[in-house]
Amino acid sequence: MQTNLIDIDGVQLHTEEFGDPDGTPILLVMGSMSQGVLWPDAFVGRLVAGGRRVIRYDHRDTGRSAVFDFAAQPYTWDDIKDDVLRVMDAYGLESAHLVCHSAGGLLGQYIAVEHPERVRTLTVIGSSPLGGHEGAVIMRALMGEPQPEGSLPPPRPEFVDHFRKVIASPPPASRREQIDRMIEEARVLHGTALPFDEDAERQLQERIFERARDLAAVVNHRLAAAAKPDFEPEGVLHQVKAPTLVVEGTNEPAKPGHGAIIAERIPGARLLMVEGMGHTLPPETHEELAGAILAHTSPDRT
């Protein structure tokens, strides 16, 4: 593994590169408020073993990337989207295979529409369709408001119950309380179908805690969304030209059924339902996920 702190347009992003520099490039794009290490090392290793050059990175205001004073330097999700291209530029990649999780999938879809020449293939995991305004769906669910006709399916009750409790609770008073809260969130996102390894999750969350320049800075992603609530264009997914693989777990708690909608709207997209998977990437899913991605990104087909 090689680490690089890239600096483009005054934005510092912490990146990690794995595998042969001459291998087929895959850029991993994680979701909102999430560090790149949420792409599990073992999963990355499977992609590398398949001959891929894999790059993952921390979004701005997460992990070891730059922390912004949002009042002095406000930004929007357009800027977070452009960070994906900044990473590609820093590594000299005219194009790459984009593998994206959750809100990272929105970024990947948008880039595939705006810059089709830069996306060899697109893989979206646990994501929502661009233009579906999934954030508004979740907010209405948390507030107990009805969903308008035609809205995306709302999150499952256990997801809603957990985050209502978090909203009503005081901030964690200690490192231990913070990590415990992060573990409980991971438990909910993991779903109920596969075993939840609390010891392994604690190690991961301690790693996330220690890596963060400022753990509280992730809230800036919410401020960025509020700064431009119309970030997502509607009715554009038919413009995606990149071969697209859509992945959803059968136990998805946050965005159930959203994968099928993405696959319906992108011409030629393929939907893969992973048995038992929730909104995280547990070890039980790595072989199937990596195998599907390696096949999807094969040089023979792109």
Side-chain angles (χ1 to χ4, degrees), residues 24-30 39 43 47 52-57 59 80-89 91 93-125 127 240-247 262 266 289 292-294 296-298 302:
T24 302
I26 289 179
L27 177 59
L28 302 177
V29 184
M30 189 35 76
W39 293 105
F43 170 73
L47 298 180
R52 303 300 183 266
R53 174 192 185 189
V54 181
I55 299 166
R56 68 184 180 188
Y57 72 101
H59 288 296
I80 300 176
K81 168 175 61 69
D82 290 344
D83 287 345
V84 179
L85 301 176
R86 290 184 173 97
V87 174
M88 292 175 64
D89 290 343
Y91 280 90
L93 297 175
E94 294 184 1
S95 64
H97 300 277
L98 298 187
V99 177
C100 313
H101 186 264
S102 195
L106 295 178
L107 304 179
Q109 292 169 65
Y110 205 162
I111 290 170
V113 170
E114 281 191 327
H115 304 281
E117 75 284 356
R118 306 208 67 174
V119 184
R120 300 188 191 186
T121 67
L122 175 64
T123 301
V124 292
I125 305 170
S127 191
V240 174
K241 305 300 183 185
T244 300
L245 173 65
V246 183
V247 181
I262 300 172
I266 296 179
L289 282 175
I293 292 168
L294 289 172
H296 185 60
T297 61
S298 170
T302 58

Side-chain angles (χ1 to χ4, degrees), residues 136-174:
V137 172
I138 290 178
M139 185 56 64
R140 285 192 293 265
L142 293 176
M143 299 299 292
E145 299 175 354
Q147 303 287 349
E149 186 176 353
S151 294
L152 295 173
R156 292 186 175 181
E158 60 269 26
F159 177 96
V160 174
D161 291 345
H162 172 78
F163 283 98
R164 282 179 177 170
K165 179 181 176 181
V166 169
I167 291 170
S169 300
S174 66

